[in-house]
Amino acid sequence: MYRSVFRPALFLLLILFGAELASQAQAQGIVRVPQDIPTLQQALDQRRTVGGIIELAQGTYAAPGNGFRLRNPQAELTVRAAAGATVVLDGGGSSIIFDLEVTNLSNRPRIFFQDLIFRNGFSDREKKGGAVSVVAGRASFVSCRFEDSRSEAPSTGGGAVLIFDDADVVFIDSEFSGNSAQNRGGAVSVVFSTAEIHDSVFTGNRTNLAGHANTAPGGALYILDSKVRVATTHFENNQAGWVGGAIYVFGDWREPLANPAAEVQIFDSNFVGNRAANHPCCVPPGATAGGAVHVEDHATVRIYRSELMGNRAESGGALDAYRAEVEIFDSVLEGNFTEPQNRPQTFGGAIFLASSDFNDASTQFGLFNRRPASLRLDGSLVDGSLASGEAASQNGGCIAAVGDLNRRFGTTAVDPDGTVEENRARITARGTIFSNCESEGLNQGGDGLGGAVNLRLTAFTARDSLFLDSQCRTDNCGGGAMAASNESLVDIAGSSFAGNAAHRGGAIFLGGSTIQLRDTLFSDNRILTPGGTSDIRDSRGAALFAIPGFSPTLPERESDADGVVQDCTFANNQGVPLFDVDVDDGPHNNVRYNNNRFGPTGFGNKVYVNRLIRASGESVAELNALVVNRTDGTSVDKSSGGNQSLGSAPVEGQLVAAPPALSPEVPGGTIGRTHLGFAWSGSNARLGSQNLAQRSGVQASTVAGRTELRSGATLLDAATLAAAPCSVGPLLCLNQDRFKLGVDWQTPRNEFGPGLAVPLTNDTGYFFFFNESNVELVVKMLRGCGVNQHFWAFAGGLTNVKTQLRVVDSFSGRVQIYDNPQRTAFQPIQDTGAFRSCTANDPTALLALAELLPLPEPMGTSLTLNEDRFEVQVSFRTPQGQEGNGQAIKLTSDTGYFFFFEEDNVELVVKVLRGCGVNNHYWVFAGGLTNVEVDLTITDTQTGDTQTYSNPLRTPFQPIQDTEAFATCP
């Protein structure tokens, strides 16, 4: 469907705001250097108060001793290269290039830099970046390059750019290469500020050159107590001297804890070959960590639809987090690994989580028990494949996690504090594939090192995930897919373990921890022993090996093995599936087994071994009736029954797409692919039309649509791949992906988070905060270039929590921010001067545009909400007397919207919520993106009660938040 951008709704607004709205903006003055003014500094001095455009002719401009300086600009100003010109601003290796500083915080116009090259900058002064400093100012860099600049400042950094003290900086289509800092932030340092980075490239930036500080972090980006958003950006071969090969994020602890001091969102970006590794001159105080990203303390990092490949460090080859929160969605971590350098052990080939407190300033010297680290993985692939064939790590081939052992037991000069649960690190995985991970272990008995995942004092939850083809290959190394020890808690359902191998626990090693395992397939896991699996006593749990936690020298650290394994299938495993170690006194093994199904094992009818009572093994019938009695008077009933012995391997399987959509176009990334992970049991299977030779594996896919996993005529599982739109997670893209929008919310109880985006049409979308059925904020961006040469921003909210809506124009680098206070009904936004960026080369300049998204089907003039109990109707009247009824479209069970003139032009959003548990009423919320006269009528079809809400003509629609609309709760 094609449409004209000049819609009836735009005409109404033209009438409303008067003829002056249609007038063209007065052209800003342009001064040319050197044609009109001899030097750039003279031009800056002249235009500081009046603004305009400074245009530089072809050539190289040497920076003066203190750099080109701009203090307290009073009007918006652009510094750009003339059309077709190559313009270099050069620091000569001895001077900062550009210094923007604002001390008058009441007036901070944005300064634009366009098509410029910043080269050979140098700074040895605090709060001065090597090439550019922005202190408390607002700046946008569009299509700029930053090359070969360096910072030798004693404590601050930013080899190319320093962003400091409540500055707000945007980078669009920019490149950073060969920049360095001896202290922090090889390319950019962001401190107490806000930054956006879109469509950019960071290559070869470093903080580990000779003479660097031994704690130098952030090879490309250093982020301290700041909010940063990174989209469609490529990081390659950046290096840090200690942590964060590409990005370092740190948040100082502060109240409220629900609101992180540092927050970073990363979309559609990739990290390739970045490294945390020190120069021999400067050995760091701990292991190098976070080959691509390091996150620490009161900080949250969320990564969406990105790739981390071939990054390396001593701990966390791709990423590590210390007491911080990390969330990863629809991403690929592949071929990351650890490399010993300063320390004898390595942890987490892809990811490492650490949590322990110390008696230092961050805990106020032991006063506060800081939270453990947490990780969320949704729809992602974590793959340890390495071209060299080497193991990715010694401990946790793909992931290693450790809770706060210091607080748990009172070590390292801090007192014990908190419960076991409170001190556990946390990992949640949904729809995620762990594959081809390897741990080589340290040849130390009982360590349980984990081929894919190694957990110590960690709560691990997995749903609908796959653990494939991983191994812990050294003698005495336990848990081919997973090792859990030191009072960990494992909760797994609806998942599969296939093709994994280890000396003990081909799939899972459980040591002194608790496991809740249900509805999970174990297929083709095996035991690695010199003699194979011929002796059942050496077949130490092809699926699960469970043992209490023993500690003869520290008895307070001993712990039982506990939990339930139920409703699982064990098929084609090479070795007895279940192996328990128990003792007569000390910590015990209380793991129980109920309602599981067992295929042939190679040991006749034996499926279970308990070394305490009978090493020759138990059949299914014997396991169902088994009670272990110990000489210390304790006992455990190992099963409530229901386990079954099958004559052949059952036909079962699972298929997971990770990510669930094809990858978008990213500089330096792999475009248009995803991965299909599969596990199955039986005699044959095919994936799509391809017969599968292996019963587990991962295949790349480049075709959107449905793929099926079948055995003969039996459908085992299916996955449907989608194409990748620009909008993802909290990022909403509108108007041919030109405008990038995000919303932050905070409740009166200091709960905090980003709104999650749902696109509706090319120019309209909405955000939800708490659950996807509860729409909170609707936004549209309209092209009003034919009216007043501006893009217009409209928003209506169905919320009264504190919100900040941030809109970035990825074409011009302009930014608009809209705030709504706490406990205030969302005030409608109708900003017809939002973006003054209508130009001839505007990528949205075509007046006829194809719709990018299929529109929902209208439902007529009536909308039914909340289990279809409430009927909603809308009538409208324009200033010209045109009258009509809104056309209804349902979004969720309790939310919908109306359009008046065109179906892709949302005008009014309404939701009806059941507040019976709060005040015994149903609630009505509505927000509008219109200023015509509106009557909104809602009828309770069960009682006939009606509520009508009216909005006057020529008045921005006032939000409705009626929490006593219908007193009709049963």
Side-chain angles (χ1 to χ4, degrees):
M1 181 180 71
Y2 290 84
R3 55 178 170 80
S4 169
V5 298
F6 191 82
R7 303 172 177 169
L10 304 190
F11 179 72
L12 294 174
L13 286 166
L14 178 59
I15 298 295
L16 172 66
F17 289 99
E20 71 278 5
L21 190 65
S23 65
Q24 300 292 326
Q26 183 178 1
Q28 289 183 305
I30 299 178
V31 296
R32 299 171 300 167
V33 177
Q35 298 95 317
D36 303 325
I37 297 180
T39 70
L40 173 56
Q41 186 61 58
Q42 289 174 318
L44 292 169
D45 294 340
Q46 184 193 91
R47 308 305 297 185
R48 183 184 71 85
T49 58
V50 296
I53 297 173
I54 298 173
E55 190 171 270
L56 302 175
Q58 173 94 17
T60 298
Y61 296 76
N66 290 320
F68 299 107
R69 303 181 70 188
L70 185 59
R71 292 288 186 274
N72 290 319
Q74 298 177 26
E76 185 178 285
L77 177 65
T78 298
V79 181
R80 72 187 186 193
T86 298
V87 174
V88 178
L89 305 183
D90 197 318
S94 60
S95 172
I96 183 175
I97 298 173
F98 205 103
D99 190 4
L100 168 62
E101 184 172 352
V102 173
T103 57
N104 178 15
L105 300 184
S106 64
N107 182 26
R108 297 195 293 168
R110 188 165 292 272
I111 309 303
F112 294 86
F113 301 87
Q114 187 172 348
D115 297 318
L116 303 174
I117 300 172
F118 297 85
R119 181 180 292 163
N120 296 326
F122 172 80
S123 170
D124 57 4
R125 293 178 293 163
E126 297 285 68
K127 299 183 182 180
K128 302 297 178 186
V132 175
S133 294
V134 181
V135 179
R138 293 172 176 167
S140 292
F141 297 84
V142 181
S143 300
C144 292
R145 291 166 56 190
F146 300 83
E147 301 174 349
D148 302 326
S149 295
R150 73 187 192 277
S151 166
E152 294 184 2
S155 63
T156 56
V161 181
L162 173 65
I163 302 166
F164 193 82
D165 197 15
D166 200 30
D168 187 325
V169 177
V170 175
F171 299 97
I172 305 289
D173 186 31
S174 294
E175 182 176 349
F176 297 80
S177 63
N179 304 288
S180 63
Q182 71 174 14
N183 187 59
R184 60 194 191 188
V188 179
S189 241
V190 187
V191 181
F192 314 136
S193 296
T194 300
E196 301 249 0
I197 302 169
H198 297 261
D199 309 310
S200 296
V201 175
F202 291 78
T203 58
N205 304 286
R206 301 176 67 173
T207 60
N208 66 348
L209 296 176
H212 70 84
N214 69 340
T215 58
L221 296 179
Y222 173 92
I223 299 167
L224 171 65
D225 290 355
S226 298
K227 289 189 176 182
V228 177
R229 185 161 60 177
V230 178
T232 52
T233 292
H234 178 69
F235 297 84
E236 186 167 3
N237 292 331
N238 303 287
Q239 297 187 31
W242 187 17
V243 293
I247 299 179
Y248 172 92
V249 184
F250 187 96
D252 282 305
W253 296 106
R254 68 186 185 193
E255 296 291 339
L257 291 177
N259 189 350
E263 184 183 17
V264 177
Q265 297 175 354
I266 300 172
F267 308 91
D268 295 334
S269 297
N270 59 34
F271 299 79
V272 179
N274 302 286
R275 186 182 181 202
N278 60 280
H279 187 279
C281 73
C282 316
V283 177
T288 61
V293 180
H294 172 88
V295 193
E296 186 167 339
D297 279 359
H298 198 198
T300 298
V301 170
R302 296 182 175 97
I303 300 174
Y304 301 85
R305 215 166 49 190
S306 296
E307 295 182 341
L308 295 89
M309 307 176 71
N311 305 287
R312 51 187 167 146
E314 287 183 298
S315 294
L319 181 152
D320 85 303
Y322 174 56
R323 300 189 301 201
E325 297 178 332
V326 176
E327 298 180 355
I328 301 175
F329 303 88
D330 304 344
S331 295
V332 174
L333 293 85
E334 187 173 16
N336 304 287
F337 61 100
T338 60
E339 52 177 3
Q341 186 178 2
N342 306 305
R343 301 295 184 268
Q345 296 189 47
T346 63
F347 299 86
I351 299 173
F352 178 55
L353 305 183
S355 308
S356 286
D357 284 348
F358 295 92
N359 185 15
D360 58 18
S362 73
T363 63
Q364 293 192 20
F365 300 97
L367 180 62
F368 292 104
N369 181 5
R370 298 302 185 186
R371 70 185 179 198
S374 68
L375 170 67
R376 176 178 176 180
L377 287 162
D378 279 16
S380 296
L381 171 71
V382 186
D383 189 286
S385 300
L386 297 174
S388 64
E390 295 295 323
S393 178
Q394 294 174 331
N395 300 266
C398 280
I399 295 179
V402 185
D404 193 346
L405 291 169
N406 289 349
R407 286 296 187 182
R408 173 72 183 96
F409 298 108
T411 56
T412 319
V414 293
D415 295 330
D417 190 19
T419 64
V420 175
E421 180 179 359
E422 289 170 339
N423 286 307
R424 286 183 177 125
R426 296 180 299 277
I427 300 176
T428 301
R430 294 184 181 275
T432 291
I433 303 169
F434 303 86
S435 66
N436 297 304
C437 306
E438 288 194 9
S439 171
E440 62 185 4
L442 294 174
N443 214 15
Q444 298 174 353
D447 280 344
L449 299 176
V453 179
N454 182 27
L455 311 171
R456 299 178 63 197
L457 192 60
T458 298
F460 182 93
T461 301
R463 299 289 185 270
D464 306 315
S465 296
L466 299 178
F467 301 79
L468 308 176
D469 304 320
S470 298
Q471 62 177 305
C472 193
R473 63 190 189 186
T474 309
D475 285 354
N476 294 320
C477 191
M482 176 182 295
S485 60
N486 296 91
E487 299 178 290
S488 290
L489 173 63
V490 176
D491 181 357
I492 298 175
S495 299
S496 296
F497 290 77
N500 306 291
H503 183 78
R504 298 174 296 167
I508 298 176
F509 173 98
L510 187 76
S513 297
T514 299
I515 191 166
Q516 303 293 332
L517 187 60
R518 58 195 180 279
D519 189 27
T520 291
L521 172 66
F522 290 84
S523 175
D524 290 273
N525 304 288
R526 67 189 189 280
I527 291 299
L528 299 174
T529 61
T533 57
S534 58
D535 189 332
I536 197 170
R537 293 172 299 181
D538 294 327
S539 183
R540 299 184 179 181
L544 173 65
F545 178 93
I547 185 173
F550 297 112
S551 182
T553 60
L554 297 170
E556 70 276 8
R557 299 200 178 198
E558 295 190 332
S559 53
D560 292 343
D562 209 338
V564 179
V565 178
Q566 62 185 32
D567 301 317
C568 295
T569 298
F570 299 87
N572 307 314
N573 297 290
Q574 299 175 33
V576 66
L578 307 174
F579 196 105
D580 278 350
V581 173
D582 204 348
V583 293
D584 279 321
D585 56 1
H588 296 307
N589 187 333
N590 297 319
V591 179
R592 289 148 289 151
Y593 306 93
N594 305 323
N595 301 313
N596 301 293
R597 303 196 303 161
F598 295 89
T601 67
F603 293 99
N605 64 351
K606 306 297 185 182
V607 298
Y608 169 80
V609 170
N610 187 303
R611 288 294 300 268
L612 176 64
I613 58 172
R614 185 161 53 213
S616 60
E618 311 287 334
S619 66
V620 168
E622 290 168 332
L623 175 59
N624 284 333
L626 182 62
V627 176
V628 175
N629 295 301
R630 309 183 186 100
T631 59
D632 65 0
T634 62
S635 65
V636 58
D637 188 342
K638 297 298 290 187
S639 176
S640 62
N643 296 297
Q644 304 175 47
S645 179
L646 307 175
S648 60
V651 178
E652 294 186 13
Q654 186 173 6
L655 180 65
V656 172
L662 300 178
S663 59
E665 182 173 351
V666 180
T670 52
I671 300 171
R673 75 162 187 175
T674 188
H675 302 82
L676 294 171
F678 60 87
W680 56 276
S681 66
S683 59
N684 64 81
R686 66 179 186 275
L687 183 62
S689 60
Q690 178 183 356
N691 292 324
L692 295 174
Q694 305 295 325
R695 282 191 280 258
S696 58
V698 178
Q699 293 188 1
S701 178
T702 59
V703 180
R706 177 181 169 91
T707 301
E708 296 181 341
L709 177 66
R710 286 184 172 272
S711 179
T714 302
L715 176 64
L716 303 180
D717 205 353
T720 300
L721 301 177
C726 172
S727 297
V728 58
L731 182 69
L732 178 64
C733 304
L734 298 178
N735 288 87
Q736 286 71 55
D737 302 339
R738 169 173 177 164
F739 293 99
K740 310 295 175 66
L741 296 84
V743 174
D744 289 328
W745 55 266
Q746 185 177 351
T747 72
R749 297 189 300 272
N750 287 319
E751 298 167 316
F752 176 89
L756 296 180
V758 179
L760 290 175
T761 72
N762 171 57
D763 55 28
T764 306
Y766 69 85
F767 293 89
F768 64 90
F769 298 168
F770 308 105
N771 63 74
E772 59 186 6
S773 66
N774 194 355
V775 177
E776 302 286 359
L777 184 66
V778 181
V779 185
K780 65 181 176 185
M781 299 296 300
L782 296 180
R783 189 177 191 276
C785 299
V787 180
N788 70 339
Q789 287 296 302
H790 284 70
F791 281 86
W792 303 353
F794 288 72
L798 312 178
T799 183
N800 64 356
V801 304
K802 180 180 179 180
T803 61
Q804 182 178 89
L805 170 65
R806 185 176 174 92
V807 186
V808 174
D809 181 355
S810 61
F811 172 65
S812 69
R814 298 180 186 274
V815 180
Q816 288 289 353
I817 300 172
Y818 305 94
D819 291 293
N820 196 73
Q822 193 68 264
R823 301 184 189 275
T824 302
F826 188 92
Q827 297 303 296
I829 297 167
Q830 297 191 358
D831 186 355
T832 58
F835 291 95
R836 179 178 52 80
S837 48
C838 297
T839 62
N841 60 345
D842 177 351
T844 66
L846 293 178
L847 294 181
L849 300 170
E851 285 298 320
L852 300 183
L853 295 168
L855 294 169
E857 289 295 327
M859 302 173 60
T861 59
S862 292
L863 179 67
T864 57
L865 299 177
N866 214 295
E867 299 179 343
D868 296 333
R869 173 171 173 168
F870 295 91
E871 182 180 42
V872 185
Q873 294 178 313
V874 174
S875 63
F876 67 88
R877 184 171 67 90
T878 72
Q880 295 75 38
Q882 179 185 358
E883 297 182 348
N885 295 314
Q887 301 296 303
I889 293 180
K890 196 167 187 175
L891 291 176
T892 71
S893 63
D894 57 28
T895 307
Y897 70 84
F898 290 86
F899 65 88
F900 297 165
F901 310 106
E902 291 185 334
E903 60 185 311
D904 60 348
N905 192 356
V906 178
E907 303 286 0
L908 181 67
V909 184
V910 61
K911 67 181 175 184
V912 180
L913 298 178
R914 190 177 189 274
C916 299
V918 179
N919 68 343
N920 210 36
H921 283 70
Y922 282 87
W923 304 349
V924 171
F925 289 71
L929 312 178
T930 184
N931 56 14
V932 302
E933 182 179 310
V934 173
D935 286 321
L936 168 65
T937 302
I938 304 175
T939 302
D940 183 344
T941 60
Q942 289 189 10
T943 67
D945 292 343
T946 299
Q947 289 285 359
T948 299
Y949 307 90
S950 298
N951 194 75
L953 189 65
R954 293 190 173 94
T955 302
F957 190 94
Q958 296 303 298
I960 298 167
Q961 298 192 356
D962 187 352
T963 58
E964 296 184 347
F966 295 94
T968 51
C969 291

